[in-house]
């Protein structure tokens, strides 16, 4: 069995920071056949590794835009546009395109015009061919020309579980995200199994804010009202978590949308007091 990298993510209490924990661990023929080390690769010699987060409504398999194009240096040219709209933040995919290539700015491109040009984050040369753009809400590099989290990992080059990145910027709302972990060595690409993460930081903060108000409340009617609101938030959160754990993402998303609206109605300062909902 080839390497199957594993990683998990958690959001800080302020909902603005994310921590990634590398969980591939050393190879074991029975308990961890997809781990680091012989007969699989180890962390030495990895040329590129990154983690991408995709919204549930636009997983990696969903193409947002496509065209026949080229990349010269850090400029992508959409020579013959085919469909959709190229936008800042999209990851470009195609034969010969460096993994993790992202559109960072519109130059002459409008998103759908033939010959439109776009700035990308990685300098490279890609000859004319099909190029597609997919939505990625966040990218985090574990290994590139300037970052190498594996070098100091305990047990490297066959490390055990370790904090890969701590308190990195996160600016996305509560929701379900598909997490893709890509490791590249000698041109060979290794990816994790399909993995989803549920983030409810803002909703949990909303509930906590209501509890704080409940503790300070003195009026009987106000206490009863706040107890009802706290109970409702707990029901929402439990329902979302239960549906997610059962793989019922449709129900989880529906409940999340309802909980977010409810939170906005009962909170004096926006959902979770962070406004990131």
């Amino acid at each position: 069995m080839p390497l199957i990298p594993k990683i998990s993510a958690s959001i800080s209490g302020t909902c603005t920071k994310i921590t990634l924990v590398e969980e591939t661990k050393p190879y074991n023929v029975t308990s961890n056949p997809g781990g680091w080390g012989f007969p699989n690769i180890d962390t030495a010699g990895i040329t590129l590794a990154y983690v991408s987060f995709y919204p549930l409504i636009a997983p990696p398999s969903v193409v947002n835009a496509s065209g026949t194009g080229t990349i010269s240096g850090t400029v992508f040219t959409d020579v013959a546009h085919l469909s959709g709209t190229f936008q800042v933040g999209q990851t470009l995919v195609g034969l010969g395109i460096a993994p993790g290539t992202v559109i960072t700015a519109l130059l002459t491109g409008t998103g759908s015009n033939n010959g439109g040009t776009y700035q990308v984050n990685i300098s490279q040369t890609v000859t004319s061919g099909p190029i597609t753009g997919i939505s990625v809400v966040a990218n985090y590099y574990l290994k590139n020309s300037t970052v190498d989290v594996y070098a100091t990992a305990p047990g490297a080059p066959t490390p055990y579980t370790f904090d890969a990145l701590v308190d990195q910027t996160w600016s996305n709302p509560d929701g379900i995200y598909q997490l893709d972990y890509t490791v590249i060595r000698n041109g060979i690409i290794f990816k994790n199994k399909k993995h989803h993460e549920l983030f409810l930081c803002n909703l949990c903060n909303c509930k906590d804010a209501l509890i704080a108000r409940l503790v300070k409340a003195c009026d009987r009617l106000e206490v009863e009202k706040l107890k009802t609101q706290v109970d409702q938030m707990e029901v929402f959160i439990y329902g979302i978590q239960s549906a997610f754990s059962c793989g019922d993402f449709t129900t989880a998303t529906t409940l999340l949308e309802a909980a977010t609206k409810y939170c906005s109605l009962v909170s004096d300062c926006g959902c979770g007091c962070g406004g990131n909902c």
Side-chain angles (χ1 to χ4, degrees), residues 2-272:
L3 177 79
I4 302 177
K6 301 175 185 176
I7 203 157
S8 65
S10 60
I11 302 295
S12 70
T14 61
C15 310
T16 60
K17 301 292 182 181
I18 189 169
T19 292
L20 301 178
V21 179
E22 217 289 343
E23 299 180 340
T24 307
K25 295 184 285 193
Y27 169 85
N28 182 285
V29 65
T30 55
S31 63
N32 194 30
W36 299 116
F38 184 84
N40 302 327
I41 68 165
D42 56 33
T43 60
I46 292 176
T47 53
L48 186 67
Y50 58 94
V51 178
S52 301
F53 286 81
Y54 297 85
L56 185 63
I57 60 173
S61 59
V62 174
V63 174
N64 300 116
S66 64
T68 299
T70 64
I71 301 178
S72 178
T74 58
V75 176
F76 156 54
T77 301
D78 183 16
V79 178
H81 191 76
L82 297 176
S83 65
T85 303
F86 285 108
Q87 299 176 346
V88 171
Q90 286 179 350
T91 293
L92 297 182
V93 178
L95 184 63
I97 296 179
T101 297
V102 175
I103 296 176
T104 58
L106 306 182
L107 298 176
T108 65
T110 63
S112 59
N113 59 317
N114 290 334
T117 56
Y118 306 82
Q119 194 83 36
V120 296
N121 62 327
I122 300 175
S123 180
Q124 57 197 291
T125 299
V126 178
T127 57
S128 182
I131 294 179
T132 59
I134 56 178
S135 293
V136 178
V137 299
N139 262 321
Y140 301 96
Y141 287 90
L142 277 60
K143 174 66 186 291
N144 59 20
S145 59
T146 59
V147 175
D148 185 357
V149 304
Y150 306 101
T152 57
T158 57
Y160 288 86
T161 298
F162 67 96
D163 290 342
L165 295 172
V166 178
D167 287 344
Q168 302 297 296
T169 300
W170 176 262
S171 58
N172 295 287
D174 289 351
I176 300 172
Y177 296 88
Q178 182 169 327
L179 187 159
D180 271 22
Y181 180 17
T182 302
V183 174
I184 303 175
R185 179 176 170 180
N186 296 330
I188 302 174
I189 299 175
F190 304 91
K191 285 185 172 289
N192 63 328
K193 294 181 179 179
K194 183 179 287 188
H195 175 72
H196 291 88
E197 292 278 1
L198 171 66
F199 297 143
L200 296 178
C201 179
N202 285 283
L203 287 184
C204 290
N205 283 353
C206 178
K207 184 195 74 172
D208 292 342
L210 291 172
I211 291 174
R213 288 166 57 187
L214 174 60
V215 171
K216 295 179 181 179
C218 295
D219 180 76
R220 180 180 61 83
L221 294 178
E222 180 68 10
V223 168
E224 291 179 356
K225 182 184 75 171
L226 288 168
K227 285 178 63 178
T228 299
Q229 292 173 349
V230 170
D231 289 344
Q232 182 61 67
M233 288 302 302
E234 289 180 339
V235 169
F236 273 132
I237 291 171
Y238 177 79
I240 295 166
Q241 292 172 334
S242 296
F244 175 78
S245 65
C246 293
D248 185 356
F249 294 168
T250 300
T251 298
T253 300
T254 300
L255 288 173
L256 177 57
E257 292 172 352
T260 300
K261 291 179 181 178
Y262 183 79
C263 177
S264 297
L265 289 173
V266 301
S267 175
D268 292 335
C269 52
C271 181

